[in-house]
Amino acid sequence: MYEEIIEKFKNREVKAKSIFKVKEISKNRAYDFVRQYHYLGDARFFSMYAYGLFINMKLVGVATYSTPQGNNTLMGWFGLGNDDKSVLELSRLCMLPILNGTNATSFLLGNSMKIMHKDHSIRAVITLADSSRHIGSIYQVCNFKYYGLTDQKAEFFCYDWGGKVKCRGEKHDYQGCWLNTSRKHRYAYIMDKNLNILYDEQPHPTQKGTLPVECCKGTKIVYDKRYDVYYTCPKCCGYMKKLIKDGDTFIEEEDKVKEKINPLKLALMKRNEQ
Protein backbone atom coordinates (compact mmCIF):
# COMPACT_ATOMS: atom_id res chain seq x y z
CA MET A 1 0.00 0.00 0.00
CA TYR A 2 1.25 3.50 -0.87
CA GLU A 3 0.31 4.76 2.63
CA GLU A 4 2.89 2.43 4.17
CA ILE A 5 5.54 3.62 1.70
CA ILE A 6 4.74 7.25 2.55
CA GLU A 7 5.09 6.56 6.27
CA LYS A 8 8.51 5.01 5.69
CA PHE A 9 9.44 8.06 3.61
CA LYS A 10 8.26 10.47 6.32
CA ASN A 11 10.24 8.48 8.90
CA ARG A 12 13.31 8.78 6.64
CA GLU A 13 13.54 5.04 6.14
CA VAL A 14 13.50 5.50 2.34
CA LYS A 15 14.63 8.35 0.10
CA ALA A 16 12.44 10.30 -2.32
CA LYS A 17 14.28 9.17 -5.45
CA SER A 18 13.79 5.50 -4.54
CA ILE A 19 9.98 5.67 -4.33
CA PHE A 20 8.82 8.65 -6.46
CA LYS A 21 8.59 9.02 -10.22
CA VAL A 22 7.77 12.26 -12.07
CA LYS A 23 6.21 12.18 -15.53
CA GLU A 24 4.05 14.34 -17.78
CA ILE A 25 0.30 13.75 -17.45
CA SER A 26 -2.84 14.94 -19.22
CA LYS A 27 -4.35 18.30 -18.33
CA ASN A 28 -7.66 16.68 -17.39
CA ARG A 29 -6.02 14.29 -14.96
CA ALA A 30 -4.10 17.18 -13.41
CA TYR A 31 -7.26 19.29 -13.11
CA ASP A 32 -9.18 16.49 -11.36
CA PHE A 33 -6.40 16.11 -8.79
CA VAL A 34 -6.02 19.86 -8.24
CA ARG A 35 -9.77 20.34 -7.87
CA GLN A 36 -9.77 17.82 -5.04
CA TYR A 37 -6.63 18.80 -3.12
CA HIS A 38 -5.68 22.44 -3.88
CA TYR A 39 -6.95 25.19 -1.54
CA LEU A 40 -8.45 27.05 -4.54
CA GLY A 41 -10.64 24.03 -5.20
CA ASP A 42 -12.68 24.16 -8.39
CA ALA A 43 -11.20 27.49 -9.60
CA ARG A 44 -10.46 26.82 -13.26
CA PHE A 45 -6.93 27.44 -14.52
CA PHE A 46 -5.05 27.17 -17.79
CA SER A 47 -2.24 24.66 -18.15
CA MET A 48 0.28 24.18 -20.96
CA TYR A 49 2.16 21.30 -19.29
CA ALA A 50 1.22 19.14 -16.30
CA TYR A 51 3.37 16.71 -14.31
CA GLY A 52 2.44 14.08 -11.79
CA LEU A 53 4.30 12.63 -8.83
CA PHE A 54 3.72 8.88 -8.58
CA ILE A 55 4.28 6.10 -6.09
CA ASN A 56 4.02 3.04 -8.32
CA MET A 57 0.79 3.84 -10.24
CA LYS A 58 -0.72 6.11 -7.58
CA LEU A 59 -0.83 9.84 -8.36
CA VAL A 60 0.17 11.71 -5.19
CA GLY A 61 1.10 15.19 -6.43
CA VAL A 62 0.64 17.55 -9.38
CA ALA A 63 2.51 20.56 -10.78
CA THR A 64 1.11 22.55 -13.71
CA TYR A 65 2.72 25.25 -15.83
CA SER A 66 1.05 27.86 -18.02
CA THR A 67 1.88 30.90 -20.11
CA PRO A 68 2.32 33.88 -17.74
CA GLN A 69 -0.86 35.78 -16.92
CA GLY A 70 -1.11 39.45 -17.88
CA ASN A 71 -0.40 41.25 -21.14
CA ASN A 72 2.85 42.79 -19.95
CA THR A 73 4.21 40.07 -17.66
CA LEU A 74 6.94 38.77 -19.97
CA MET A 75 7.85 42.31 -21.00
CA GLY A 76 8.18 43.38 -17.35
CA TRP A 77 10.24 40.35 -16.35
CA PHE A 78 12.46 39.79 -19.38
CA GLY A 79 11.62 42.34 -22.08
CA LEU A 80 10.02 39.52 -24.11
CA GLY A 81 6.88 39.62 -26.24
CA ASN A 82 3.71 37.67 -25.46
CA ASP A 83 4.43 35.22 -28.29
CA ASP A 84 7.48 33.84 -26.44
CA LYS A 85 6.75 30.31 -25.15
CA SER A 86 10.11 29.63 -23.52
CA VAL A 87 9.13 31.12 -20.14
CA LEU A 88 6.26 29.60 -18.16
CA GLU A 89 4.52 30.31 -14.88
CA LEU A 90 3.90 27.71 -12.18
CA SER A 91 0.09 27.78 -12.02
CA ARG A 92 -0.67 25.01 -9.50
CA LEU A 93 1.36 22.86 -7.10
CA CYS A 94 -0.39 20.47 -4.73
CA MET A 95 0.10 17.15 -2.98
CA LEU A 96 -1.93 14.57 -1.14
CA PRO A 97 -2.46 16.05 2.36
CA ILE A 98 -0.38 13.24 3.89
CA LEU A 99 2.67 14.54 1.96
CA ASN A 100 2.30 18.21 2.83
CA GLY A 101 5.37 19.55 4.61
CA THR A 102 7.70 16.90 3.18
CA ASN A 103 10.37 17.21 0.51
CA ALA A 104 8.10 15.33 -1.89
CA THR A 105 6.91 18.78 -3.04
CA SER A 106 10.41 20.00 -3.87
CA PHE A 107 11.16 16.65 -5.56
CA LEU A 108 8.16 17.11 -7.86
CA LEU A 109 8.89 20.78 -8.56
CA GLY A 110 12.61 20.32 -9.25
CA ASN A 111 12.25 17.24 -11.44
CA SER A 112 9.28 18.53 -13.44
CA MET A 113 11.27 21.66 -14.36
CA LYS A 114 14.22 19.53 -15.47
CA ILE A 115 11.92 17.47 -17.72
CA MET A 116 10.34 20.62 -19.17
CA HIS A 117 13.73 22.12 -19.93
CA LYS A 118 14.85 18.92 -21.68
CA ASP A 119 11.64 18.04 -23.55
CA HIS A 120 10.20 21.48 -24.32
CA SER A 121 13.24 23.85 -24.23
CA ILE A 122 11.76 25.93 -21.39
CA ARG A 123 14.29 28.58 -20.31
CA ALA A 124 12.75 29.80 -17.05
CA VAL A 125 9.82 29.35 -14.67
CA ILE A 126 8.32 32.26 -12.75
CA THR A 127 5.85 32.13 -9.90
CA LEU A 128 4.12 34.41 -7.41
CA ALA A 129 3.55 33.78 -3.70
CA ASP A 130 0.63 35.57 -2.03
CA SER A 131 2.26 37.69 0.70
CA SER A 132 -0.86 37.48 2.88
CA ARG A 133 -0.57 33.67 3.00
CA HIS A 134 3.12 32.72 2.86
CA ILE A 135 6.59 33.81 1.78
CA GLY A 136 7.21 31.06 -0.78
CA SER A 137 9.39 28.78 1.35
CA ILE A 138 9.10 25.91 -1.14
CA TYR A 139 10.59 28.12 -3.87
CA GLN A 140 13.48 29.04 -1.63
CA VAL A 141 14.15 25.34 -0.98
CA CYS A 142 14.18 24.70 -4.74
CA ASN A 143 16.73 27.48 -5.37
CA PHE A 144 14.36 29.97 -6.99
CA LYS A 145 15.75 33.50 -6.96
CA TYR A 146 13.69 36.28 -5.39
CA TYR A 147 12.79 39.55 -7.12
CA GLY A 148 10.76 41.54 -4.61
CA LEU A 149 7.06 42.33 -4.30
CA THR A 150 4.60 43.22 -7.03
CA ASP A 151 3.10 46.71 -7.04
CA GLN A 152 0.05 47.43 -4.90
CA LYS A 153 -3.20 46.88 -6.80
CA ALA A 154 -6.89 47.16 -5.97
CA GLU A 155 -10.16 45.52 -7.03
CA PHE A 156 -13.55 47.19 -7.39
CA PHE A 157 -16.29 45.41 -5.42
CA CYS A 158 -19.57 46.32 -7.09
CA TYR A 159 -22.68 46.71 -4.89
CA ASP A 160 -24.91 46.45 -7.98
CA TRP A 161 -23.38 43.06 -8.68
CA GLY A 162 -24.04 41.77 -5.17
CA GLY A 163 -20.57 42.63 -3.90
CA LYS A 164 -18.72 40.72 -6.61
CA VAL A 165 -15.56 42.04 -8.24
CA LYS A 166 -16.13 44.04 -11.40
CA CYS A 167 -12.95 43.64 -13.45
CA ARG A 168 -13.78 45.34 -16.71
CA GLY A 169 -15.50 48.46 -17.96
CA GLU A 170 -16.14 51.78 -16.29
CA LYS A 171 -16.61 51.90 -12.52
CA HIS A 172 -17.84 55.44 -11.87
CA ASP A 173 -21.49 54.64 -12.71
CA TYR A 174 -21.60 51.76 -10.21
CA GLN A 175 -21.90 51.88 -6.45
CA GLY A 176 -19.21 50.02 -4.57
CA CYS A 177 -15.65 50.45 -3.34
CA TRP A 178 -12.01 49.81 -4.18
CA LEU A 179 -10.14 47.44 -1.87
CA ASN A 180 -6.45 46.58 -1.95
CA THR A 181 -5.43 43.12 -3.10
CA SER A 182 -2.53 41.28 -1.51
CA ARG A 183 0.90 41.91 -2.99
CA LYS A 184 2.80 38.95 -4.42
CA HIS A 185 6.38 37.76 -3.86
CA ARG A 186 8.16 37.29 -7.23
CA TYR A 187 10.28 34.17 -7.75
CA ALA A 188 12.05 32.75 -10.80
CA TYR A 189 14.01 29.60 -11.59
CA ILE A 190 16.38 30.31 -14.48
CA MET A 191 17.56 27.42 -16.66
CA ASP A 192 19.05 29.54 -19.41
CA LYS A 193 21.83 31.60 -17.80
CA ASN A 194 21.83 33.94 -20.83
CA LEU A 195 18.28 35.04 -20.10
CA ASN A 196 18.29 38.61 -18.82
CA ILE A 197 15.96 39.53 -15.92
CA LEU A 198 14.93 43.16 -15.62
CA TYR A 199 14.01 43.01 -11.93
CA ASP A 200 16.73 43.28 -9.29
CA GLU A 201 17.46 40.13 -7.30
CA GLN A 202 16.84 40.55 -3.57
CA PRO A 203 17.43 38.45 -0.42
CA HIS A 204 14.76 35.83 0.26
CA PRO A 205 11.99 37.15 2.53
CA THR A 206 11.60 35.78 6.05
CA GLN A 207 8.37 35.15 7.95
CA LYS A 208 8.20 38.90 8.57
CA GLY A 209 7.46 39.13 4.86
CA THR A 210 3.93 37.85 5.44
CA LEU A 211 1.81 40.96 4.91
CA PRO A 212 -1.84 41.14 5.99
CA VAL A 213 -4.26 42.80 3.57
CA GLU A 214 -5.91 45.68 5.39
CA CYS A 215 -9.18 45.89 3.50
CA CYS A 216 -11.15 47.45 6.38
CA LYS A 217 -8.60 47.36 9.24
CA GLY A 218 -10.76 44.88 11.14
CA THR A 219 -13.88 47.10 11.28
CA LYS A 220 -15.82 45.06 8.66
CA ILE A 221 -16.96 48.43 7.29
CA VAL A 222 -15.89 50.10 4.03
CA TYR A 223 -16.79 53.53 2.65
CA ASP A 224 -17.56 54.84 -0.85
CA LYS A 225 -16.85 58.54 -0.68
CA ARG A 226 -18.25 59.16 -4.17
CA TYR A 227 -21.79 58.39 -3.01
CA ASP A 228 -21.21 58.86 0.73
CA VAL A 229 -22.28 55.28 1.45
CA TYR A 230 -21.01 52.75 3.99
CA TYR A 231 -21.03 49.00 3.27
CA THR A 232 -20.22 45.76 5.02
CA CYS A 233 -16.71 44.71 3.92
CA PRO A 234 -17.23 42.14 1.13
CA LYS A 235 -13.88 40.48 1.87
CA CYS A 236 -14.42 39.99 5.60
CA CYS A 237 -18.20 39.47 5.67
CA GLY A 238 -18.60 37.54 2.43
CA TYR A 239 -21.43 39.83 1.36
CA MET A 240 -21.98 43.54 0.68
CA LYS A 241 -24.89 45.44 2.26
CA LYS A 242 -25.47 49.15 2.71
CA LEU A 243 -25.09 50.42 6.26
CA ILE A 244 -27.09 53.14 7.99
CA LYS A 245 -25.11 55.15 10.52
CA ASP A 246 -26.89 55.54 13.86
CA GLY A 247 -24.67 57.61 16.14
CA ASP A 248 -21.49 55.60 16.64
CA THR A 249 -23.00 52.35 15.35
CA PHE A 250 -23.94 50.99 11.94
CA ILE A 251 -27.07 49.04 11.07
CA GLU A 252 -27.45 46.88 7.97
CA GLU A 253 -30.09 48.21 5.61
CA GLU A 254 -32.80 45.61 5.10
CA ASP A 255 -33.43 44.57 1.52
CA LYS A 256 -37.04 45.27 0.61
CA VAL A 257 -38.35 42.74 -1.90
CA LYS A 258 -41.71 43.54 -3.46
CA GLU A 259 -43.92 40.55 -4.19
CA LYS A 260 -44.77 40.23 -7.86
CA ILE A 261 -48.43 39.29 -8.39
CA ASN A 262 -49.46 37.88 -11.73
CA PRO A 263 -52.75 39.08 -13.36
CA LEU A 264 -54.63 35.83 -12.61
CA LYS A 265 -53.76 35.98 -8.90
CA LEU A 266 -54.79 39.66 -8.80
CA ALA A 267 -58.17 38.86 -10.41
CA LEU A 268 -58.84 36.10 -7.86
CA MET A 269 -57.98 38.45 -5.00
CA LYS A 270 -60.41 41.09 -6.28
CA ARG A 271 -63.18 38.48 -6.69
CA ASN A 272 -62.69 37.26 -3.13
CA GLU A 273 -63.00 40.82 -1.88
CA GLN A 274 -66.47 41.24 -3.51
Side-chain angles (χ1 to χ4, degrees), residues 94-145:
C94 69
M95 312 292 293
L96 285 181
I98 194 173
L99 283 170
N100 285 337
T102 71
N103 67 348
T105 309
S106 58
F107 186 88
L108 168 60
L109 185 55
N111 282 279
S112 61
M113 290 190 297
K114 287 179 182 178
I115 296 171
M116 260 195 323
H117 176 57
K118 178 182 177 182
D119 293 350
H120 303 293
S121 301
I122 299 304
R123 296 193 291 163
V125 170
I126 64 173
T127 189
L128 300 174
D130 190 330
S131 65
S132 68
R133 290 177 174 272
H134 57 100
I135 59 171
S137 299
I138 184 62
Y139 311 128
Q140 297 180 19
V141 170
C142 291
N143 296 318
F144 278 67
K145 293 183 178 180

Side-chain angles (χ1 to χ4, degrees), residues 38 57 69 102 144-145 172 204 224 254 269 274:
H38 197 273
M57 300 297 291
Q69 301 299 302
T102 71
F144 278 67
K145 293 183 178 180
H172 61 268
H204 285 154
D224 180 5
E254 293 294 331
M269 289 174 63
Q274 295 176 353

Side-chain angles (χ1 to χ4, degrees), residues 71-116:
N71 293 331
N72 299 314
T73 300
L74 286 175
M75 180 61 67
W77 273 88
F78 306 101
L80 300 174
N82 288 337
D83 58 341
D84 190 286
K85 304 299 181 185
S86 67
V87 176
L88 295 181
E89 182 174 352
L90 177 66
S91 49
R92 292 290 188 273
L93 178 65
C94 69
M95 312 292 293
L96 285 181
I98 194 173
L99 283 170
N100 285 337
T102 71
N103 67 348
T105 309
S106 58
F107 186 88
L108 168 60
L109 185 55
N111 282 279
S112 61
M113 290 190 297
K114 287 179 182 178
I115 296 171
M116 260 195 323

Side-chain angles (χ1 to χ4, degrees), residues 20 31 41 84 94 108 119 136 144 149 155 166 180 210:
F20 293 126
Y31 175 70
D84 190 286
C94 69
L108 168 60
D119 293 350
F144 278 67
L149 286 163
E155 295 175 321
K166 181 173 174 56
N180 287 340
T210 304

